[in-house]
Amino acid sequence: MLRSIATFLCLRCQPVTALPLNLRSRATHSVAENQQTVEALYDLSVDIQKVRKLKGWVLLQSPAYTKEVAELLKNMGASGPIIAHILTSHPEAVLCNPEQIYTQKELWMSVCPNQRELVGVIEKFPASFFTSSSHHDNQRNNISYFQSLNLNKRVITKLMASAPQSFSRPVEQNELMVHTLQHAYQELGGEEANMKIWLQKLLSQNPFVLLKPPEVLRENFLFLRDKGFSTPQLLHLLSRLKGFVAELNPDSMRRTLLYSQDTIGCSETELRGIILRCPALLYYPESTLAERFESLLSAGISMCQITATPTVLELTTQIVNYRIQRLKARGYDIRTGSLEVLNGTKKDFEMSFGKLQLRRERPLFNPVAPLKADD
């Protein structure tokens, strides 16, 4: 009995030849995917495997408007590789109704100088352009509002691209935050004539400031005022921090200020002076500051040098160490020299390094040395 049962099971469990992996993959995809979409994307040289891996659900949808979207982008001046890049990084674009996209194009062209620049924006921020049609009214109202502020078109375009959420919500929310920023600027002594330029710079530096609750801004200023910063100093911080002032909160600033004061060993008055020269110290967490202080001190730099040029703390330890090594190779002793040569962007540093090298190579003129005369 047992032998017959075993024989029966063996016959039932004969191995089945498996399909090759690539064929199984195609079989699975062919059943579920919209083949018209897949073929159209293939024709456009879109990386289908990447789309399947990251956003495979798009290939299951119907209807899709792949050819129509590609044609619209082409008519705007997008090349084949750019179209492929856009649809690979944001394949959801093929699900947008052509009429919806034409409406979106009209909205963007009201602030974008030309179609070529719009294509560049779409290439970098496709999700900002291919949005739901339910947001069009809010987008239109927000565009009109920012135009009424006489903001530069490029600034409005940057806002729409970098922080599309601020344009998809009711205009009243943006009005409230802008009014809060303007009121803070005026209350701190800012001049009316400079307010538009100031607001443009602030929004350009951090478009996400519009998404912050206005109360955050008020709480941060109250905290800094309690810490002894005067009205002109608060205006200076607001201008230097730009939109990042809304990223702060009293608890984090309290911890950062306490850590900085203990590490530097200075008074509150001295710390305020350092903060005014390097406002970024307000938003770095203690762990980041600890790493940067330790890196500088371990390189033989004194605390006096750091407080004289506190902006060096804005640089990562990797950048500081790299620049110190380059300066050391040229014979510059960072332990006795100024830290200003370390500061700035990569371009700034290369310029300072070049000037330093030029000074070393240029011979000094001695006015009392005898001149060599030809025999």
Side-chain angles (χ1 to χ4, degrees):
M1 175 67 73
L2 291 175
R3 185 176 299 171
S4 61
I5 292 175
T7 302
F8 173 77
L9 290 176
C10 288
L11 291 172
R12 294 281 294 182
C13 299
Q14 290 293 321
V16 178
T17 303
L19 285 170
L21 183 59
N22 62 335
L23 291 180
R24 278 185 285 159
S25 177
R26 290 178 188 174
T28 303
H29 293 313
S30 64
V31 173
E33 292 179 350
N34 183 332
Q35 288 305 296
Q36 289 184 342
T37 301
V38 173
E39 290 172 7
L41 291 174
Y42 266 126
D43 291 341
L44 294 167
S45 300
V46 172
D47 188 341
I48 295 291
Q49 295 307 318
K50 185 175 181 181
V51 173
R52 282 185 177 132
K53 181 178 179 181
L54 300 178
K55 297 179 179 179
W57 61 270
V58 173
L59 303 177
L60 310 179
Q61 307 303 310
S62 184
Y65 308 95
T66 310
K67 293 181 179 179
E68 292 86 346
V69 172
E71 188 64 24
L72 181 140
L73 291 172
K74 181 180 179 181
N75 291 338
M76 291 170 60
S79 65
I82 288 178
I83 294 173
H85 172 75
I86 291 171
L87 297 183
T88 299
S89 61
H90 191 74
E92 302 98 309
V94 305
L95 304 180
C96 295
N97 186 290
E99 293 182 5
Q100 171 187 336
I101 300 177
Y102 279 111
T103 302
Q104 191 74 337
K105 177 188 170 184
E106 290 176 2
L107 286 171
W108 280 80
M109 286 305 298
S110 67
V111 293
C112 217
N114 52 63
Q115 291 192 145
R116 181 180 178 182
E117 290 201 19
L118 179 54
V119 169
V121 171
I122 297 173
E123 185 180 7
K124 293 180 181 178
F125 305 96
S128 300
F129 180 81
F130 296 104
T131 58
S132 171
S133 59
S134 62
H135 298 154
H136 286 170
D137 287 341
N138 285 335
Q139 284 179 313
R140 189 174 289 105
N141 293 335
N142 278 299
I143 289 172
S144 297
Y145 170 64
F146 285 112
Q147 287 176 329
S148 72
L149 296 175
N150 295 318
L151 297 183
N152 185 289
K153 283 187 174 183
R154 293 185 187 278
V155 173
I156 300 176
T157 301
K158 183 175 181 179
L159 285 174
M160 290 179 68
S162 304
Q165 308 95 314
S166 59
F167 280 75
S168 61
R169 64 182 188 165
V171 66
E172 291 79 13
Q173 296 181 33
N174 287 327
E175 289 176 343
L176 179 59
M177 189 57 182
V178 169
H179 290 160
T180 301
L181 290 167
Q182 291 174 327
H183 179 71
Y185 176 79
Q186 292 175 318
E187 192 177 48
L188 295 174
E191 297 181 6
E192 179 76 25
N194 297 328
M195 187 162 66
K196 188 189 84 169
I197 296 175
W198 172 82
L199 184 63
Q200 283 193 158
K201 288 183 178 179
L202 184 147
L203 294 177
S204 295
Q205 289 290 328
N206 184 12
F208 297 100
V209 68
L210 293 170
L211 301 175
K212 300 295 179 181
E215 296 76 20
V216 171
L217 195 64
R218 301 189 191 100
E219 291 174 0
N220 288 337
F221 279 127
L222 285 174
F223 171 81
L224 292 170
R225 194 184 293 277
D226 289 343
K227 285 297 178 180
F229 287 96
S230 65
T231 298
Q233 288 174 337
L234 287 174
L235 179 60
H236 173 78
L237 288 176
L238 179 61
S239 299
R240 288 286 302 276
L241 286 168
K242 299 181 173 66
F244 294 99
V245 69
E247 305 289 338
L248 304 172
N249 66 76
D251 288 338
S252 65
M253 285 191 288
R254 187 179 294 106
R255 292 193 299 269
T256 297
L257 290 174
L258 182 61
Y259 173 81
S260 297
Q261 187 175 0
D262 288 345
T263 303
I264 297 171
C266 62
S267 65
E268 289 188 359
T269 302
E270 291 171 328
L271 181 62
R272 283 196 295 272
I274 294 171
I275 295 296
L276 290 171
R277 281 178 286 144
C278 183
L281 285 176
L282 287 172
Y283 56 75
Y284 287 132
E286 303 99 298
S287 58
T288 299
L289 288 176
E291 181 185 19
R292 296 183 182 182
F293 272 117
E294 183 181 354
S295 175
L296 291 167
L297 294 173
S298 63
I301 297 171
S302 68
M303 189 62 75
C304 289
Q305 286 177 288
I306 297 174
T307 54
T309 314
T311 46
V312 75
L313 291 167
E314 295 179 1
L315 303 172
T316 65
T317 56
Q318 292 85 355
I319 291 176
V320 167
N321 291 334
Y322 169 74
R323 293 181 180 181
I324 288 176
Q325 291 304 314
R326 286 195 63 186
L327 291 169
K328 185 178 180 181
R330 290 296 177 187
Y332 186 87
D333 190 353
I334 199 68
R335 297 171 298 179
T336 57
S338 170
L339 298 187
E340 284 293 343
V341 70
L342 285 176
N343 264 337
T345 62
K346 180 180 180 181
K347 183 178 179 180
D348 295 333
F349 172 73
E350 293 298 339
M351 288 180 64
S352 298
F353 185 78
K355 291 177 182 178
L356 183 69
Q357 186 175 358
L358 186 62
R359 286 199 299 269
R360 287 178 55 81
E361 293 174 352
R362 181 183 297 157
L364 295 175
F365 173 68
N366 186 347
V368 298
L371 294 175
K372 290 183 178 181
D374 294 335
D375 294 336

